[in-house]
């Protein structure tokens, strides 16, 4: 059976995939080592609410503003989505009652 011939683009893609694959393997092994070496107490201390708030307050005003506007947008969108889901459920219940009354 003849060997497939690789085009120049195919060879570039193959080389890029090989680089990406080796980088992913290296990152995975580094992550495994970090997980083994880092105690959970340090992780909990790093992500405590007081530490996160202090880090946030140390940022410049522009970053704080962008985070605040983004958080507001995400929360508002979530609330609108929740309201729409609730109103659709209520409408479905009412429609179900109407259909049931027709079938009686």
């Amino acid at each position: 059976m003849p060997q497939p011939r690789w085009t120049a683009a195919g060879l570039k893609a193959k080389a890029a995939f090989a680089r990406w694959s080796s980088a992913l393997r290296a990152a995975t092994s580094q992550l495994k080592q970090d997980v083994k070496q880092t105690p959970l107490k340090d992780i909990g201390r790093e992500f405590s609410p007081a530490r996160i708030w202090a880090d946030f307050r140390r940022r410049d005003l522009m970053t704080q503003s962008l985070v605040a506007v983004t958080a507001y947008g995400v929360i508002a969108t979530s609330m609108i989505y929740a309201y729409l889901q609730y109103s659709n459920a209520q409408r479905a219940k009412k429609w179900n009652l109407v259909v049931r009354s027709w079938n009686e």
Side-chain angles (χ1 to χ4, degrees):
M1 178 177 257
Q3 290 285 345
R5 294 161 119 220
W6 290 92
T7 63
L11 288 173
K12 283 184 182 179
K14 187 177 177 183
F17 180 76
R19 282 192 307 272
W20 177 79
S21 178
S22 66
L24 185 63
R25 268 192 238 105
T28 302
S29 65
Q30 181 66 42
L31 182 64
K32 285 180 184 178
Q33 288 176 353
D34 289 349
V35 166
K36 287 179 185 175
Q37 293 174 355
T38 306
L40 287 177
K41 196 176 209 178
D42 289 347
I43 295 171
R45 199 174 308 125
E46 183 72 26
F47 290 106
S48 68
R51 177 86 178 256
I52 291 173
W53 180 250
D55 287 345
F56 174 72
R57 295 300 294 170
R58 269 189 238 118
R59 305 280 179 184
D60 63 339
L61 188 58
M62 184 66 169
T63 303
Q64 290 181 23
S65 301
L66 287 173
V67 169
V69 168
T70 303
Y72 176 78
V74 167
I75 290 169
T77 303
S78 300
M79 291 176 71
I80 290 169
Y81 181 76
Y83 171 74
L84 289 175
Q85 290 291 339
Y86 172 78
S87 63
N88 281 341
Q90 293 300 320
R91 188 167 13 120
K93 282 181 185 177
K94 288 178 183 175
W95 185 246
N96 199 3
L97 287 172
V98 169
V99 170
R100 255 194 267 152
S101 70
W102 287 344
N103 291 334
E104 289 180 354

